[in-house]
Every structure is written in structure tokens, then in C-alpha cells.
Amino acid sequence: MADQNQKEKAEVAILNPLNRTVFYSIEFPGYVNPGSVQKCVQRLGGLQNISDTFRRGLKIDLPLKENDPFAHPAAGQTVATQNLVLRIVKRRRRKQQVERDGSEDHMRDRGSSHSGTSTKQIEGVFTAEVVGISQKTMRFRNPIDFQYRPDMNDPVVQLRQAMMRLD
């Protein structure tokens, strides 16, 4: 009897509809800074190659060393996922100028200052918002094997390089 009363009094969760924007994500096996995004895209073959890979569900190669025919690329595969894409915003800490009233107790609480004002820091505030769903993810989960770089003065290496240059 008591369980039924609790179930009847239970609050219904508020429904928040998800945004229907579709995203694709890449789990890049390396450090990515805002300035290096273009280089990462070029390493994967450009935007056209990435979009073709997502559209067709193909595998993609990520060369670890540029212009080195002896380096083995890391293989990535496209998998279906249903991940939420979040936009996380952090409000930066701001320094506020606080006027002092001249009392020593007030100055002792907030720190001393020569100009009659002090600075007070406000803690950062984080907000999260769901902006869409990632339906496909490109993953590089296969282990990258040990790579040996041959001597560039070896005749076989020189022959291969000449064949690559079409000499």
C-alpha cells in the first residue's frame, strides 16, 4: 500500500527533445590543438576523403610520417555510434574591483591594497548543452606496430625512391 502511494506521488521527469543535428566524430590518435586541426585533416587525406569514408563506411589510413614510403600507416575504421555531442562553456574568471570603506577589518578580510580597491575573483561556472548526436565515429583502435627505418644509402632504398620519383 505504501509503495503504491510513493509511485503515485513520484514526479515525472521533464522531457527535453534532442536537437536532430547529425555530427560525425574522429578519435584522432594524437594531440590536436586549435592551430593543428587543418594539419590533422590533411593527414587524413582532406575533407573530401573524410566525408567519402563516413558516407561509404570505409577504412582510412593515417600516415604517421609524411613522405616516408617505409612507414606503415595507422588504420582507422568507421563504426556506428549514438553519442551525444555536448557544448561545454566555461565562464572565465573575472576580477572585480571592490571599493573599500576604509575600515581595517574590511581590509583584513579582503587583502590590503594601496589604491583603496581590491580584486575579488569569481569561480568559473560550467554549463553543458546537447547540440546533436554523433551517428558515426572514426576510430584508430588497432595497435600501431614497431617501425624500422632502413638506411637511406642502401641500394634497395635508393631504387625504391627512384621508382617513386619515376626516374
Side-chain angles (χ1 to χ4, degrees):
M1 187 75 165
D3 291 334
Q4 286 182 340
N5 289 339
Q6 288 179 353
K7 288 181 183 178
E8 291 175 6
K9 292 181 182 180
E11 295 182 28
V12 178
I14 299 171
L15 293 176
N16 290 329
L18 291 176
N19 192 348
R20 295 290 179 181
T21 306
V22 176
F23 291 92
Y24 296 136
S25 61
I26 300 173
E27 295 177 0
F28 193 82
Y31 294 110
V32 179
N33 297 323
S36 66
V37 172
Q38 188 64 30
K39 185 176 181 181
C40 295
V41 169
Q42 291 302 323
R43 278 272 175 97
L44 290 169
L47 286 176
Q48 186 64 38
N49 188 30
I50 294 171
S51 65
D52 288 343
T53 302
F54 277 122
R55 191 174 338 112
R56 296 181 185 161
L58 302 174
K59 293 185 177 185
I60 192 167
D61 288 336
L62 173 66
L64 300 175
K65 295 180 182 178
E66 293 182 50
N67 302 325
D68 189 359
F70 298 104
H72 302 284
Q77 59 187 10
T78 305
V79 295
T81 57
Q82 292 295 319
N83 297 330
L84 296 177
V85 178
L86 300 176
R87 175 184 295 142
I88 299 175
V89 177
K90 176 188 174 190
R91 289 189 181 178
R92 298 185 189 264
R93 294 181 181 182
R94 294 182 293 171
K95 293 184 178 180
Q96 290 182 341
Q97 295 292 330
V98 179
E99 292 295 327
R100 299 193 180 254
D101 62 356
S103 69
E104 291 187 24
D105 292 335
H106 189 70
M107 290 176 67
R108 193 173 27 241
D109 290 341
R110 298 202 179 186
S112 62
S113 176
H114 298 293
S115 65
T117 61
S118 70
T119 58
K120 179 182 176 184
Q121 289 189 354
I122 297 175
E123 293 293 324
V125 177
F126 291 92
T127 58
E129 173 188 2
V130 177
V131 294
I133 298 172
S134 174
Q135 291 185 346
K136 292 183 181 179
T137 301
M138 187 181 303
R139 294 182 174 160
F140 294 88
R141 297 276 175 101
N142 296 335
I144 300 171
D145 61 347
F146 179 76
Q147 298 188 15
Y148 171 74
R149 186 166 183 178
D151 182 22
M152 291 299 169
N153 295 327
D154 189 68
V156 175
V157 173
Q158 291 178 353
L159 176 65
R160 169 132 186 201
Q161 288 177 341
M163 290 172 60
M164 294 293 286
R165 291 189 308 261
L166 299 175
D167 286 344

